[in-house]
Amino acid sequence: MLELLTEAFHHQPCSFCREMLFTIHAEHSDLSSELILEASLDRNMELRGAAEVHLGPATSLDGI
């Protein structure tokens, strides 16, 4: 089910829905660096904040 939610995240136009999908992944400790990076660039500031909590050296925004 989490794989389906990951795919849905990439195609979801609703910012609130992306935030909910991100939260579900975080609750299940299933956040990939790709998902965190994409969320950290989202227009939704709450989602960006949630993603930044999970940013590590491997997902740094330096150089973007």
Side-chain angles (χ1 to χ4, degrees):
M1 183 60 111
L2 290 173
E3 288 179 37
L4 292 173
L5 294 178
T6 300
E7 192 61 30
F9 183 90
H10 300 297
H11 298 286
Q12 183 55 254
C14 172
S15 179
F16 177 77
C17 296
R18 284 192 308 274
E19 184 179 348
M20 292 297 100
L21 293 171
F22 186 88
T23 300
I24 291 168
H25 278 284
E27 289 173 351
H28 292 293
S29 300
D30 188 53
L31 289 170
S32 68
S33 58
E34 180 181 282
L35 188 67
I36 295 168
L37 183 59
E38 186 171 341
S40 71
L41 300 172
D42 200 275
R43 189 164 178 87
N44 177 336
M45 295 306 287
E46 291 179 18
L47 178 52
R48 278 190 194 184
E52 288 176 7
V53 169
H54 298 282
L55 280 174
T59 55
S60 172
L61 295 177
D62 294 341
I64 291 181

